[in-house]
Amino acid sequence: MEKKTFYITTPIYYPSANLHIGNTYTTIAADALARFKRLTGYDVMFLTGTDEHGQKIQRLAEAKGVAPKEYVDEIVAGIKDLWKMMNVSYDKFIRTTDDYHVRAVQQIFKQLYDQGDIYKSQYEGWYCTPCESFWTETQLQDGKCPDCGRPVEKAKEEAYFFKMSKYAPKLIEYIESHPEFIQPESRKNEMLNNFLKPGLQDLCVSRTTFDWGIPVTFDKKHVIYVWIDALANYITALGYNSGNEDLLNKYWPADVHLVGKDILRFHTIYWPIMLMALGLPLPKQVFGHGWLLVDGGKMSKSKGNVVDPVVLVNQFGADPVRYYLLREIPFGSDGIFNNEIFIKKINSDLANDLGNLLSRTTAMIEKYFQGVMPAQSAKEEIDNSLIEMAVDAHKKVEKHMDNLRIPEALDEIWALIGRANKYIDETTPWILSKDESKKERLGTILYNLSETLRIVSVLISPFLPETSIKINEQLNIELTTWDSIKSFDGTRAGSKIVKGEAIFPRIDVEAKIEELNKLKEEQMKANAPKAQMQPLKEEITIEDFEKVDLRVVKVLNCEPVKGAKKLLKLKVDLGGEEKQVISGISKYYKPEELIGKYVVLVANLKPAKLRGEISQGMILAASTDDDSKLFAVTIPKELPTGSVVR
């Protein structure tokens, strides 16, 4: 009988730097789903990879003095090593620099242009390099990117545009008639109400200001912009436009695109519209999971809270990391990573619950039966609840996994582990061992525990593959199929067990946290960017400089601007004349800290309106490149207000 297919994808990661624990979470979740589907009899295609083009990569490579391809090759090698370390069982790893992908994307672009879905025009607006996104003036927040909060650059260039608006009504209808398409439900409402229904703008799909990208075949000064290049990977990996589309015909449409919520818009709006234009079916589901929060916020290099998965695996092993991410992070919501909670979960769930169950069982078989598996020959009523729970577990786990409820699936497995530990206390094998007439009953109890562990081992194999193997080795388990756990008879009596070391040794929480903190400090010192001055701007003449009128002013009053988190409204004295200035420095100064200070004002700046308030100049300040520190330029009080700064 031909197997049912299951196609699951992760986003393709941007190799500007090494991946963090958040990226690892996405990939491990996809891996658990892929492994589970294989276990339950599906023909699985699991795709991951890297999105390697764009201005950001080009600039990083230039700064390092290497070619972009050389730069990404090094990062990609590290990503592949990480996935190997985490036991990620992907079937294909795609790179957008792969020749077959480049050719297929060029053909997609040409097809969309030929059928009138792509047209040439002019783009003028604001561009965020890290996000690779264009924004209008009204979309900016305090003059910065609304997605990441970083500075934007003014961009004006010739570009090709995709007619998103043409397909928007069709997509709205599809989403509303296919409630399973965008999950969780809250994400669906967000896409409809915030982006589609207010009106969808046409999408810029080419660039001319950099050349690290896939060239447009019929207009070589243009490179194909990220959205068509990156999103197309899900079909080019299957052979779309290659001349051999057997894999495409077999696996498409994808069963699940697993993505972070920050890129959901691209996967549920841009990508479906692209597929509609190409005449291809839409993926069955796009699932937008939450962020992994560290120290109460999103991971950020500037905050110094980025968690390196390599450090965690080296310290604790791959399976404890996989377990924490899969069990403790609500699938679809934001979750918290914290070293203390992580270590305590290893001690409680892995060492105490599972590890101790295996150790106790193998120790008793070794002690009372010379390491030979006893037979199930003296059953009693008390055994039934454990056996029934063990035999029913696969149904509950499968139901949760079919609904992408990974933590709930693990809850069911750990409930069975907890029941087995309770069964030991109920049956008191250590007391039975003292009475030779109870030998058969003792053997039955140990068989039941071993068989439960065999079932647990099969159930956890998609989530904790290394642990599953270790259990199998100690109990000499041979039967590990999904069908075998539907009955309670897969352990072979008479087989020789091999008691091993504790699979999860207990960890001294305080000592380990201290060790991790030291490692973090060392890592931050090693990774700290060397002080590097920003390049000087284009030379100006003394005449240019003299156009700027810098004056000493005294801050008379200062208060926050209503409805704006970053803005302060200052009243300043300029030589007896009162001026109003709006300044984005509330993050660095409380209003009362500025009142009475003498600062430097760009006094002849053309007035501008910010959040409904007139600003008649600009306060001079110095800041770090990442804006983590900022200081207004202050001067002694001896100078009268209105004094010229030169």
Side-chain angles (χ1 to χ4, degrees):
M1 192 174 79
E2 193 173 346
K3 289 183 177 181
K4 285 198 272 185
T5 61
F6 184 78
Y7 181 29
I8 185 167
T9 70
T10 71
I12 53 172
Y13 302 107
Y14 200 60
S16 57
N18 294 331
L19 300 188
H20 54 63
I21 197 72
N23 311 124
T24 305
Y25 169 54
T26 310
T27 311
I28 287 171
D31 180 64
L33 289 163
R35 284 176 178 271
F36 187 83
K37 288 296 182 180
R38 292 192 198 104
L39 179 65
T40 53
Y42 284 75
D43 178 349
V44 173
M45 171 60 74
F46 171 21
L47 177 71
T48 190
T50 43
D51 166 22
E52 301 181 12
H53 294 123
Q55 188 173 26
K56 185 177 180 179
I57 293 281
Q58 185 165 322
R59 286 181 175 178
L60 287 167
E62 287 169 356
K64 204 172 177 181
V66 298
K69 184 64 163 58
E70 186 181 345
Y71 180 88
V72 293
D73 281 349
E74 185 180 341
I75 304 287
V76 170
I79 292 171
K80 287 184 173 181
D81 286 343
L82 175 60
W83 295 161
K84 187 177 179 181
M85 181 183 278
M86 296 303 312
N87 294 310
V88 175
S89 63
Y90 60 82
D91 296 291
K92 187 163 187 177
F93 190 105
I94 187 171
R95 301 179 61 178
T96 53
T97 50
D98 290 335
D99 290 345
Y100 71 89
H101 175 79
V102 170
R103 288 192 298 271
V105 167
Q106 287 177 322
Q107 290 177 55
I108 289 170
F109 195 96
K110 181 71 164 56
Q111 179 186 334
L112 295 172
Y113 177 76
D114 287 345
Q115 64 191 41
D117 287 319
I118 286 178
Y119 63 93
K120 187 189 278 190
S121 186
Q122 287 279 333
Y123 180 84
E124 186 171 3
W126 296 96
Y127 179 65
C128 175
T129 299
C131 293
E132 297 199 319
S133 294
F134 289 102
W135 304 102
T136 62
E137 188 80 43
T138 55
Q139 289 173 318
L140 298 179
Q141 291 185 2
D142 298 329
K144 294 182 178 179
C145 173
D147 273 0
C148 71
R150 294 183 177 93
V152 291
E153 304 172 42
K154 190 76 172 177
K156 183 178 182 180
E157 61 184 283
E158 179 185 272
Y160 286 92
F161 290 80
F162 192 116
K163 290 181 181 177
M164 290 279 143
S165 51
K166 175 181 171 182
Y167 294 93
K170 187 178 177 182
L171 180 57
I172 292 171
E173 184 185 344
Y174 184 89
I175 293 171
E176 289 181 335
S177 60
H178 293 78
E180 75 290 344
F181 176 56
I182 304 175
Q183 288 295 318
E185 182 80 12
S186 58
R187 309 259 191 261
K188 180 189 82 172
N189 299 331
E190 183 188 345
M191 294 303 111
L192 283 170
N193 299 329
N194 294 2
F195 297 103
L196 281 164
K197 288 183 177 179
L200 200 57
Q201 294 182 334
D202 290 350
L203 183 69
C204 178
V205 290
S206 80
R207 300 294 308 278
T208 59
T209 52
F210 61 91
D211 57 14
W212 178 236
I214 298 175
V216 175
T217 52
F218 53 89
D219 196 343
K220 289 296 176 62
K221 70 179 179 181
H222 287 258
V223 294
I224 297 169
Y225 194 37
V226 60
W227 309 126
I228 290 181
D229 178 6
L231 291 166
N233 91 90
Y234 303 123
I235 54 176
T236 63
L238 302 179
Y240 184 76
N241 277 347
S242 71
N244 182 355
E245 297 188 347
D246 290 350
L247 290 177
L248 186 78
N249 296 330
K250 184 178 184 180
Y251 292 111
W252 191 259
D255 291 87
V256 184
H257 286 324
L258 190 59
V259 301
K261 64 181 183 181
D262 50 334
I263 54 172
L264 192 70
R265 170 164 53 102
F266 314 124
H267 285 80
T268 57
I269 297 177
Y270 300 167
W271 177 227
I273 285 177
M274 196 169 136
L275 289 166
M276 286 176 175
L278 293 171
L280 291 171
L282 271 57
K284 296 173 189 176
Q285 189 173 92
V286 182
F287 192 98
H289 67 73
W291 285 330
L292 199 56
L293 305 177
V294 178
D295 300 330
K298 193 182 176 188
M299 277 179 282
S300 157
K301 285 184 179 178
S302 61
K303 291 180 184 175
N305 67 346
V306 175
V307 177
D308 186 347
V310 175
V311 172
L312 289 181
V313 174
N314 287 338
Q315 289 285 320
F316 305 99
D319 275 7
V321 177
R322 289 176 66 106
Y323 176 77
Y324 183 89
L325 295 176
L326 295 173
R327 179 89 190 271
E328 292 303 307
I329 311 303
F331 205 55
S333 306
D334 292 344
I336 294 170
F337 185 88
N338 173 281
N339 280 332
E340 186 175 352
I341 298 171
F342 170 53
I343 297 168
K344 285 180 175 177
K345 289 301 290 186
I346 294 174
N347 281 345
S348 61
D349 297 14
L350 299 180
N352 284 4
D353 294 347
L354 178 56
N356 202 31
L357 176 63
L358 178 65
S359 293
R360 292 167 85 186
T361 302
T362 54
M364 287 189 287
I365 294 172
E366 192 171 74
K367 185 176 180 180
Y368 305 138
F369 292 88
Q370 293 72 54
V372 176
M373 184 65 64
Q376 192 190 39
S377 56
K379 283 180 68 179
E380 293 183 4
E381 181 67 29
I382 198 172
D383 303 340
N384 291 336
S385 63
L386 173 65
I387 293 170
E388 285 168 11
M389 191 174 186
V391 171
D392 285 346
H394 74 277
K395 297 175 194 171
K396 296 174 180 178
V397 170
E398 188 163 16
K399 186 179 177 182
H400 287 310
M401 293 299 283
D402 285 345
N403 291 307
L404 303 188
R405 293 200 295 262
I406 298 175
E408 289 83 351
L410 283 162
D411 288 345
E412 295 290 351
I413 300 169
W414 252 257
L416 176 58
I417 293 167
R419 183 66 192 88
N421 278 309
K422 188 181 177 185
Y423 176 76
I424 296 177
D425 296 335
E426 292 170 339
T427 56
T428 60
W430 56 90
I431 296 174
L432 295 177
S433 69
K434 297 173 183 176
D435 186 345
E436 189 61 30
S437 68
K438 305 286 188 180
K439 190 86 171 181
E440 283 193 8
R441 177 59 188 155
L442 175 61
T444 297
I445 291 166
L446 295 178
Y447 179 93
N448 290 343
L449 289 169
S450 300
E451 176 64 359
T452 301
L453 277 163
R454 184 189 71 85
I455 290 171
V456 166
S457 174
V458 175
L459 290 170
I460 66 169
S461 60
F463 315 99
L464 311 178
E466 289 180 1
T467 304
S468 177
I469 292 167
K470 288 176 182 176
I471 294 171
N472 295 346
E473 287 173 347
Q474 292 202 26
L475 289 171
N476 200 5
I477 293 168
E478 297 171 351
L479 205 50
T480 59
T481 64
W482 186 252
D483 285 342
S484 78
I485 64 173
K486 297 175 183 178
S487 58
F488 201 80
D489 56 7
T491 296
R492 185 166 56 84
S495 61
K496 184 76 175 165
I497 72 150
V498 187
K499 186 180 182 318
E501 298 288 324
I503 55 174
F504 295 108
R506 281 189 62 80
I507 302 166
D508 183 325
V509 180
E510 289 184 8
K512 183 56 75 171
I513 287 174
E514 189 177 342
E515 185 184 342
L516 289 172
N517 287 338
K518 283 181 182 175
L519 277 172
K520 184 180 177 182
E521 285 174 21
E522 289 168 7
Q523 200 173 36
M524 286 181 70
K525 283 179 186 175
N527 296 337
K530 293 175 183 171
Q532 197 173 13
M533 189 179 78
Q534 285 271 12
L536 295 177
K537 294 180 180 178
E538 186 181 341
E539 286 185 351
I540 62 171
T541 65
I542 188 66
E543 287 81 13
D544 293 326
F545 177 72
E546 284 178 348
K547 291 178 182 176
V548 182
D549 196 349
L550 302 176
R551 299 294 180 111
V552 176
V553 294
K554 181 182 179 182
V555 181
L556 303 173
N557 191 37
C558 183
E559 62 185 51
V561 175
K562 289 179 182 177
K565 291 181 181 178
K566 299 178 182 179
L567 300 181
L568 292 178
K569 179 166 67 176
L570 296 89
K571 297 287 186 189
V572 299
D573 172 22
L574 175 62
E577 182 186 355
E578 196 171 289
K579 296 264 188 185
Q580 177 171 290
V581 181
I582 308 300
S583 184
I585 56 174
S586 66
K587 180 181 171 183
Y588 313 97
Y589 289 99
K590 294 176 181 175
E592 57 269 24
E593 292 174 335
L594 290 168
I595 295 172
K597 285 199 179 294
Y598 287 70
V599 297
V600 177
L601 178 75
V602 182
N604 63 334
L605 198 64
K606 189 177 178 181
K609 189 173 276 190
L610 298 172
R611 291 293 180 101
E613 298 279 0
I614 292 292
S615 182
Q616 299 169 294
M618 183 173 71
I619 303 295
L620 280 196
S623 73
T624 55
D625 289 348
D626 61 359
D627 288 339
S628 59
K629 295 179 181 177
L630 180 142
F631 300 96
V633 177
T634 58
I635 60 169
K637 296 179 182 180
E638 283 81 2
L639 285 174
T641 60
S643 297
V644 177
V645 179
R646 58 182 185 267

